[in-house]
Amino acid sequence: MPQVHDRGGWPTEEPIDREEHILADWERRVDAMHNVLSEKGLRRTDEMRRAIESLPPEQYETMSYYERWTAALEILLLEKGVLTAGEIDARFAELERPE
Amino acid sequence: MTNPSNHAENHQDDGHGHDHPGMLADAELSYYARRARAMESLLVEKEICTPGEIQAMVERIDARSPADGARVVARAWADPQYQARLLSTPEAALAELGYTLPETTPKLAVVENTAEVHHLVVCTLCSCYPRNLLGRPPDWYKSLAYRSRAVVDPRGVLREFGLDLPDSVAVRVLDSTADLRYLVLPRRPAGTEGLTEAELAELVTRDSMIGVTEARTPERAGV
């Protein structure tokens, strides 16, 4: 059985949903963050794909495209020691709090 | 006020940080959107990048569109010598029109659709795609269904997109990688001899440069 990302020939009769969604601001910023970090030498396409491919299959199947990109960004930033999980968790919680 | 990534001017409703009155906007953002916001805030605080750099990149990416690829295709249709250069040395040919590709990877290959061979591009692993010429890939290009089916039933996929090719036309499916991406040079529609290059570009759709459709006829494009 191929891994979850390796979709070529994966058995499915599902029609191709050709509807396109307008990207949300956060999706455009995640896209841009990946590209800015690439230009700074902090992220490469291959390692980003490898990070996406390391997501648990059940998550991979249900996440949207830029959700996968966000998860991959976090994986890479932690691996490279740019950010720590504790820092991200703390800032995440801090930004959740009302004024 | 410690929130360093204050770029609320770009976000009317993202509940960004401490400038907003409450949780309402936050609740509208998905978990991953909020996770991304936390990372962005930290990247800015640590001076790894600035909000301006991120915003400038958003605008750079937004500015790319299939009109870029269409301009290249129209030039190739109008100038057989340019077409030959585009097919043999795409980097140099694109540079002639002001499009620069990365010096390393991904490389770009341009493949020509003819009366005998039709090319269809997919990225079965993810979403590799010539974004600098076509803009961001459409949702369906990244979808699990397209990635699964394009390689085993390309003619069925093409029919779903409205293109029913006779058996006499060979279909070649090209699977992109992070190192090599493809641009399809669609067939020039008949009856377009008198059109200008700008009019020709109007016939070239994004989907025709992926190979799921053909270029539009002048009648369809209203040229």
Side-chain angles (χ1 to χ4, degrees):
Chain A
M1 197 61 185
Q3 287 185 278
V4 69
H5 65 275
D6 191 1
R7 295 313 273 210
W10 196 280
T12 176
E13 308 255 309
E14 196 189 324
I16 295 154
D17 180 356
R18 285 156 65 191
E19 194 172 326
E20 296 175 33
H21 85 289
I22 294 169
L23 291 190
D25 274 350
W26 76 268
E27 294 176 302
R28 292 156 75 227
R29 293 191 84 80
V30 167
D31 190 357
M33 268 192 279
H34 272 281
N35 280 278
V36 166
L37 293 174
S38 276
E39 290 198 343
K40 293 175 184 287
L42 283 168
R43 169 268 189 211
R44 295 179 63 94
T45 301
D46 304 84
E47 59 189 3
M48 185 267 204
R49 247 197 43 220
R50 192 259 307 147
I52 288 180
E53 291 166 5
S54 74
L55 295 171
E58 62 280 7
Q59 274 186 38
Y60 183 98
E61 296 262 8
T62 54
M63 290 164 86
S64 74
Y65 184 71
Y66 284 106
E67 287 176 350
R68 290 186 208 128
W69 276 46
T70 305
L73 183 65
E74 181 161 347
I75 290 169
L76 292 179
L77 291 173
L78 297 184
E79 276 181 5
K80 289 165 189 281
V82 176
L83 302 179
T84 68
E87 282 174 326
I88 301 173
D89 288 342
R91 182 57 50 91
F92 182 88
E94 188 187 323
L95 294 174
E96 300 285 284
R97 279 201 295 276
E99 197 71 4
Chain B
M1 281 297 215
T2 55
N3 177 8
S5 64
N6 184 0
H7 50 249
E9 70 278 10
N10 306 318
H11 289 219
Q12 269 87 53
D13 59 351
D14 69 348
H16 207 290
H18 301 171
D19 300 329
H20 291 257
M23 294 283 282
L24 193 62
D26 273 3
E28 291 163 11
L29 279 178
S30 74
Y31 169 80
Y32 287 101
R34 290 177 286 138
R35 205 73 193 162
R37 181 181 62 178
M39 287 189 277
E40 179 178 340
S41 163
L42 286 165
L43 288 173
V44 169
E45 182 176 87
K46 290 173 180 283
E47 298 183 344
I48 292 173
C49 59
T50 67
E53 284 175 317
I54 297 172
Q55 185 56 29
M57 184 62 81
V58 165
E59 287 165 17
R60 225 168 96 192
I61 298 171
D62 281 351
R64 298 171 182 160
S65 82
D68 296 303
R71 195 173 144 234
V72 173
V73 169
R75 173 65 56 87
W77 283 348
D79 178 351
Q81 288 179 335
Y82 182 79
Q83 173 165 326
R85 293 198 294 282
L86 182 65
L87 293 169
S88 60
T89 51
E91 283 89 353
L94 288 168
E96 289 178 44
L97 296 187
Y99 298 105
T100 50
L101 297 170
E103 282 176 24
T104 53
T105 56
K107 295 293 179 199
L108 181 82
V110 181
V111 291
E112 182 186 12
N113 280 353
T114 67
E116 290 80 38
V117 183
H118 183 94
H119 296 87
L120 174 69
V121 180
V122 63
C123 178
T124 60
L125 295 176
C126 188
S127 56
C128 286
Y129 179 89
R131 292 165 193 248
N132 48 352
L133 293 171
L134 299 183
R136 295 189 185 90
D139 289 333
W140 58 259
Y141 185 80
K142 308 175 281 191
S143 72
L144 301 181
Y146 181 72
R147 287 160 52 195
S148 300
R149 292 179 47 210
V151 289
V152 283
D153 182 24
R155 286 177 195 271
V157 167
L158 290 173
R159 274 194 299 274
E160 218 167 288
F161 278 85
L163 179 58
D164 198 356
L165 289 175
D167 289 344
S168 59
V169 180
V171 173
R172 283 197 195 136
V173 181
L174 298 164
D175 196 351
S176 304
T177 68
D179 301 317
L180 178 61
R181 297 172 184 199
Y182 298 95
L183 180 76
V184 172
L185 179 62
R187 292 173 68 191
R188 179 173 176 164
T192 56
E193 292 73 16
L195 298 189
T196 64
E197 216 171 290
E199 287 168 334
L200 288 172
E202 294 291 313
L203 311 180
V204 186
T205 61
R206 176 196 66 197
D207 291 2
S208 72
M209 292 181 278
I210 304 172
V212 290
T213 61
E214 294 185 304
R216 298 191 291 183
T217 60
E219 295 72 38
R220 289 239 358 240
V223 173

